[in-house]
Amino acid sequence: MWLWEAVRVASRHEMPATVVLGAQWGDEGKGRVVDYFAESADFVVRYQGGNNAGHTIVVGDEKLALSLIPSGILYPDCTPVIASGTVIDPKVLLDEMDMTMSRGLDPSRVKLSSNAHLIMPYHRKLDAAIERYLGKNRIGTTKKGIGPTYTDKYARVGIRVQDLFDPKIFRKKVEAALEDKNKLLPRIYNTLPMDPDEIIDEYREYADRLEPHVADTSLLLFNGLREGKQVLLEGAQGTLLDIDHGTYPFVTSSNPTAGGAAVGSGIGPKSLDEIIGVAKAYISRVGTGPFPTELHDEVGDRMIELGGEYGTVTGRRRRCGWLDLVALRYSNRVNSFTKLFITKLDILSAFETIKVANAYQSAGEIHDEFPVQQSVLYNCEPQYEELPGWETDITAVRTFSDLPKEAQRYVRYIEERVEVPIGWISVGPERSQLVEVT
Ligand code: GDP
Ligand code: IMO
Ligand code: MG
């Protein structure tokens, strides 16, 4: 009897976890949104992806760009966790720890899952070589080795963080991996083979520095939830870049969607309570692939310039277009959002009228739902509704009722069409430039 009583007491204290994830093609402003919620979080967890992500946080005049360390690093009482669904380039992680330390933050709290997979030098090399090989069919990856690392993970020949601490096993795995890669690199991709000893020596140094951070992060979070601690899960990339639900093959190699948060962090799906979708007030994409509302005119150019739409990781110019509600409704379908957070509303202040896509037309047919057939997505014409703009600076607004009526209408319009309540809007990159919607 006492056992059941203990179970009941434990579950009574369990606090649910909150997921914050991108509802579009990435760069929605997840970093700043996570920073907002992290103030009350005990753990902020990255559950997938690697240093293909670039999350920007602006506090006062200071700007912090993070690619691997979760955005909770800014709060001294918050533990940043890099969970098992991620892929880690150890040098990038260590450099980012040094960078945060030089900015007065404390990276000693970072916890790294012993099950996370390691990005190896041959993964980076293969990423670049495969892109070259694909030519005009390339994905436009970040060339950080993400795809090849996940490929090895699923082929069950990947190398995990824990392998760093067993030199014999580590050597065996590197040599085994290079056996076929050293054939592929010169024969197929016309590039030089790699020396296992060099890699082993390099990674030995990383092992010593990473060891104090390595943990069973699934257990850490499980116990945290039981003790009533707040867990915030930070998605990288976005729903339309999801390997299963995105615009395949023009996607990343992991699951940013809400289900991926449970799998990648090692906590059960019933522990996920709030699922907050982050969407820009317009939309952007980096890399290749279909993009129905993309603008190739001066309106698109203005969005890029005013929105500072240049990649945090690669510096590439992002492609921009009007908000796509077909895609946003789809994003809600695969994520079950409890709320939306709309970012960068201030950028739309520049436009006299604002368009939103409600449907696509392809071969005379109207598509209200996101098409499963990629060719439809490539060839469709978005069906736009035009809403009046507000053409007023809104960057100093802090309450919803102080927004111009047209801006309020735009927000309500999105809410009605997507059928998810909008909880917050941001009106500038700085931490305080935010409006809570009541
Ligand atoms: P993430 O990858 O989703 O974290 O987004 P990024 O950091 O790559 O890109 C978002 C960019 O928009 C960053 O430069 C942010 O500082 C900036 N940003 C975020 N929210 C706002 C906003 O409300 N208004 C403006 N003007 N910029 C914003
Ligand atoms: P955050 O977290 C936007 C895109 C790349 C490419 C595709 C595959 O900052 O939103 P990869 O290197 O992952 O194999 O590239 O995915 N991509 C992103 N686009 N934001 C990101 O991250 C991205 N991470 C990857 O441009 O099209
Ligand atoms: Mg980004």
Side-chain angles (χ1 to χ4, degrees), residues 232-271:
L232 185 59
L233 299 142
E234 173 176 3
Q237 291 78 55
T239 300
L240 302 175
L241 288 171
D242 186 281
I243 184 83
D244 289 291
H245 305 293
T247 48
Y248 191 90
F250 303 98
V251 292
T252 192
S253 299
S254 66
N255 290 112
T257 43
V263 176
S265 63
I267 59 177
K270 275 173 73 182
S271 297

Side-chain angles (χ1 to χ4, degrees), residues 11-26:
S11 52
R12 218 181 291 148
H13 291 293
E14 192 171 307
M15 291 288 293
T18 297
V19 189
V20 170
L21 68 95
Q24 299 162 327
W25 273 295

Side-chain angles (χ1 to χ4, degrees), residues 21-23 239 242 256-259 275 277 330-338:
L21 68 95
T239 300
D242 186 281
T257 43
I275 299 168
Y330 170 70
S331 189
N332 178 45
R333 177 177 2 131
V334 297
N335 286 300
S336 314
F337 293 136
T338 53

Side-chain angles (χ1 to χ4, degrees), residues 159 170-180 196-197 200:
I159 303 183
F170 189 70
R171 169 169 291 277
K172 235 172 147 180
K173 290 195 174 182
V174 172
E175 284 174 349
L178 280 180
E179 213 160 285
D180 66 327
D197 290 329
I200 290 161

Side-chain angles (χ1 to χ4, degrees), residues 203-363:
Y203 276 58
R204 189 172 297 134
E205 280 178 35
Y206 304 146
D208 293 340
R209 285 195 61 198
L210 285 176
E211 195 160 21
H213 299 277
V214 176
D216 179 344
T217 53
S218 164
L219 183 62
L220 182 74
L221 297 174
F222 180 77
N223 286 337
L225 286 166
R226 284 205 145 183
E227 287 162 18
K229 300 259 168 72
Q230 299 269 1
V231 174
L232 185 59
L233 299 142
E234 173 176 3
Q237 291 78 55
T239 300
L240 302 175
L241 288 171
D242 186 281
I243 184 83
D244 289 291
H245 305 293
T247 48
Y248 191 90
F250 303 98
V251 292
T252 192
S253 299
S254 66
N255 290 112
T257 43
V263 176
S265 63
I267 59 177
K270 275 173 73 182
S271 297
L272 310 182
D273 181 50
E274 285 276 333
I275 299 168
I276 299 168
V278 186
K280 248 189 273 223
Y282 48 103
I283 194 164
S284 71
R285 164 160 219 177
V286 212
T288 54
F291 182 175
T293 64
E294 180 172 16
L295 292 167
H296 297 282
D297 56 10
E298 67 282 3
V299 175
D301 290 346
R302 277 184 89 193
M303 281 178 185
I304 294 166
E305 295 315 318
L306 295 170
E309 298 293 353
Y310 292 90
T312 317
V313 175
T314 55
R316 286 179 293 175
R317 196 172 194 262
R318 296 172 182 156
R319 302 153 66 193
C320 279
W322 295 116
L323 184 65
D324 184 340
L325 291 179
V326 185
L328 196 52
R329 282 199 305 272
Y330 170 70
S331 189
N332 178 45
R333 177 177 2 131
V334 297
N335 286 300
S336 314
F337 293 136
T338 53
K339 283 213 174 114
L340 286 176
F341 192 128
I342 303 293
T343 58
K344 300 187 113 166
L345 189 66
D346 54 303
I347 302 305
L348 295 186
S349 301
F351 303 100
E352 195 183 338
T353 53
I354 293 166
K355 291 186 185 177
V356 275
N358 275 317
Y360 305 143
Q361 189 181 46
S362 173

Side-chain angles (χ1 to χ4, degrees), residues 25-27 30 52-55 139-142 237 251-252 286 316:
W25 273 295
D27 301 323
K30 297 174 293 293
N52 46 350
H55 298 174
I139 312 289
T141 74
T142 57
Q237 291 78 55
V251 292
T252 192
V286 212
R316 286 179 293 175

Side-chain angles (χ1 to χ4, degrees), residues 394-438:
I394 57 168
T395 54
V397 173
R398 297 291 176 271
T399 52
F400 190 70
S401 57
D402 286 344
L403 281 172
K405 289 284 165 289
E406 295 83 358
Q408 293 187 25
R409 186 173 159 207
Y410 184 65
V411 173
R412 294 301 183 203
Y413 184 87
I414 301 170
E415 201 166 45
E416 278 162 26
R417 293 294 163 133
V418 186
E419 297 182 44
V420 178
I422 292 173
W424 310 264
I425 300 159
S426 66
V427 291
E430 210 277 332
R431 193 181 253 179
S432 65
Q433 289 181 299
L434 185 143
V435 172
E436 206 169 321
V437 184
T438 46

